[in-house]
Amino acid sequence: MYRLNEARLDCHDPGMERQGAAFDAAQDALEAALGDMFARAGRELAGLPDDAREAKALRSLANHREGLTVFVERPRTPMDNNLAERLLRGPVVGRRLSFGSDSEAGAKLAALMYSTVATPKLNRIDVPR
């Protein structure tokens, strides 16, 4: 799915209201692959007992299909939140190493400092250390 989405995004021009034939073909390939994935998950789920370990994940996939496929109709929406998870890793590790914030004011200051450092980094601005 990631490969198909990447190929689709390579053809996407956000400035155009109507995308070109290459984007349409990549969009169709992505939609077909997603349809196949959900159909296969449905078939596998139908063949499993309700208490099977795999059944819970397959039911969740089926129940959250709409939310999991938002990126198909909205190309600017990322497929996952890996970037956000990676950005939160540093502050979480720092909080754990310093044994957390002792007060609400300390937590607000830490959030302000992390935001101040992360915003330029996200915008690829080199901040001297």
Side-chain angles (χ1 to χ4, degrees), residues 45-69:
L45 181 60
L48 290 173
D50 287 341
D51 61 343
R53 190 177 73 196
E54 299 87 354
K56 182 177 180 182
L58 291 171
R59 272 193 298 278
S60 178
L61 181 69
N63 291 338
H64 296 96
R65 181 176 184 159
E66 185 178 335
L68 291 170
T69 58

Side-chain angles (χ1 to χ4, degrees), residues 9-96:
L9 293 177
D10 287 344
C11 305
H12 182 254
D13 183 355
M16 293 177 59
E17 187 173 321
R18 175 83 176 114
Q19 298 297 314
F23 176 84
D24 291 342
Q27 178 80 10
D28 291 343
L30 178 63
E31 288 177 2
L34 282 167
D36 291 345
M37 180 187 73
F38 282 104
R40 180 178 175 192
R43 287 190 306 273
E44 288 183 20
L45 181 60
L48 290 173
D50 287 341
D51 61 343
R53 190 177 73 196
E54 299 87 354
K56 182 177 180 182
L58 291 171
R59 272 193 298 278
S60 178
L61 181 69
N63 291 338
H64 296 96
R65 181 176 184 159
E66 185 178 335
L68 291 170
T69 58
V70 167
F71 70 96
V72 176
E73 295 301 320
R74 298 182 183 153
R76 293 184 57 155
T77 301
M79 284 181 70
D80 56 42
N81 69 343
N82 290 343
L83 175 62
E85 296 284 341
R86 283 193 302 273
L87 291 174
L88 288 173
R89 182 181 168 96
V92 169
V93 170
R95 185 188 70 227
R96 287 185 179 163

